[in-house]
């Protein structure tokens, strides 16, 4: 179907993806191109698509992630795989399955829609935040985030995101247990310092990095081993 015939005017690209019988490329300038089997319009790039930062292919559909985080999809839509959920919001990653589409929201939560007769769009309730997604023909795969993962790519570990990005610091929930830190009167630290040896003549001090200031009293426990 001409899927291996590279357009002569394609130019330099930074990403590629494959559908069942079509090929997709993301040019260096963010423009999406596609060629090959086009019966369902999977190679017809929407004129209002704009600059994109990622592309993915399903069997007969194409998915693009715009620079502003908006997900777009076109081509065969027999299972609703091109119907972007209205509450999806901005995303950081996309992937395509056989007849379904997958997206990773900025929060790290995974979404999937389209054909789901094998449960490929049924996200496990205990999945939590993820850092990578991909799709098989009838299945979906996710790589879970650890507490230290920077899920949204803002340079802040996931477990600190709630207190760093929240508009009202008094509502921060840094340990993500559903209870505000102000109520818990706790602080979260990324590491506990070891102050090393000290004595009357040689005092020592240590700093707990990345603390979140609480508005109420907190308890600091210091463990001392002495000879």
């Amino acid at each position: 179907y001409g899927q291996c015939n590279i357009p002569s005017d394609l130019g330099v690209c930074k990403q590629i993806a494959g559908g069942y019988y079509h090929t997709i490329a993301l040019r260096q300038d963010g423009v999406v191109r596609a060629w090959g089997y086009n019966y369902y319009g999977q190679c017809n790039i929407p004129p209002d698509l704009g600059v994109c930062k990622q592309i993915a292919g399903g069997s007969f559909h194409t998915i693009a992630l715009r620079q502003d985080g908006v997900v777009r999809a076109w081509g065969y839509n027999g299972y609703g795989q091109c119907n972007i959920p209205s509450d999806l919001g901005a995303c950081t990653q996309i992937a395509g399955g056989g007849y379904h589409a997958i997206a990773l929201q900025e929060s790290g939560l995974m979404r999937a829609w389209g054909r789901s007769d094998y449960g490929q769009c049924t996200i496990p309730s205990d999945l939590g935040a993820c850092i990578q997604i991909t799709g098989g023909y009838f299945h979906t795969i996710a790589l879970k985030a650890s507490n230290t993962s920077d899920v949204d790519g803002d340079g802040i570990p996931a477990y600190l995101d709630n207190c760093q990005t929240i508009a009202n610091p008094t509502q921060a929930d840094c340990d993500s247990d559903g209870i505000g830190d102000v109520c818990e009167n706790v602080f979260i630290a990324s590491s506990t310092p070891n102050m090393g040896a000290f004595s009357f003549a040689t005092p020592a001090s240590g700093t707990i990095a990345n603390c979140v200031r609480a508005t109420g009293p907190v308890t600091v426990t210091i463990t001392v081993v002495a000879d």
Side-chain angles (χ1 to χ4, degrees):
Y1 296 99
Q3 61 266 53
C4 296
N5 298 335
I6 312 301
S8 58
D9 62 344
L10 180 60
V12 178
C13 296
K14 59 182 179 180
Q15 210 178 110
I16 51 173
Y20 202 65
Y21 293 120
H22 70 294
T23 303
I24 314 155
L26 181 63
R27 297 197 331 183
Q28 196 70 44
D29 58 4
V31 172
V32 177
R33 298 286 299 273
W35 60 95
Y37 187 67
N38 195 33
Y39 183 81
Y40 298 101
Q42 59 266 52
C43 296
N44 297 337
I45 311 302
D48 61 344
L49 180 60
V51 177
C52 294
K53 58 182 178 180
Q54 191 182 355
I55 50 174
S59 287
F60 300 111
H61 65 291
T62 301
I63 313 163
L65 179 62
R66 295 195 333 183
Q67 195 66 46
D68 59 3
V70 172
V71 177
R72 297 285 300 272
W74 61 93
Y76 181 65
N77 196 31
Y79 296 94
Q81 62 266 50
C82 295
N83 298 336
I84 311 302
S86 58
D87 62 344
L88 182 61
C91 295
T92 59
Q93 248 184 81
I94 53 171
Y99 297 99
H100 66 293
I102 314 155
L104 190 64
Q105 294 178 314
E106 284 187 340
S107 63
L109 295 182
M110 183 189 212
R111 297 287 298 274
W113 62 95
R115 186 173 182 177
S116 193
D117 46 350
Y118 294 99
Q120 58 266 50
C121 294
T122 305
I123 310 301
S125 59
D126 62 344
L127 181 61
C130 298
I131 56 175
Q132 192 177 352
I133 53 173
T134 190
Y137 200 69
F138 292 126
H139 66 293
T140 300
I141 313 163
L143 180 62
K144 289 189 64 168
S146 68
N147 283 339
T148 57
S149 298
D150 179 11
V151 174
D152 53 8
D154 63 355
I156 302 170
Y159 76 100
L160 285 176
D161 272 331
N162 287 344
C163 43
Q164 296 288 346
T165 60
I166 198 164
N168 183 355
T170 63
Q171 298 175 3
D173 178 18
C174 295
D175 51 2
S176 300
D177 63 355
I179 303 173
D181 295 334
V182 171
C183 298
E184 293 177 304
N185 288 335
V186 299
F187 61 84
I188 306 299
S190 62
S191 62
T192 302
N194 184 337
M195 293 188 291
F198 64 96
S199 68
F200 289 110
T202 55
S205 63
T207 300
I208 302 175
N210 298 324
C211 279
V212 177
R213 186 182 301 276
T215 58
V218 299
T219 299
V220 178
T221 301
I222 300 177
T223 301
V224 179
V225 179
D227 57 16

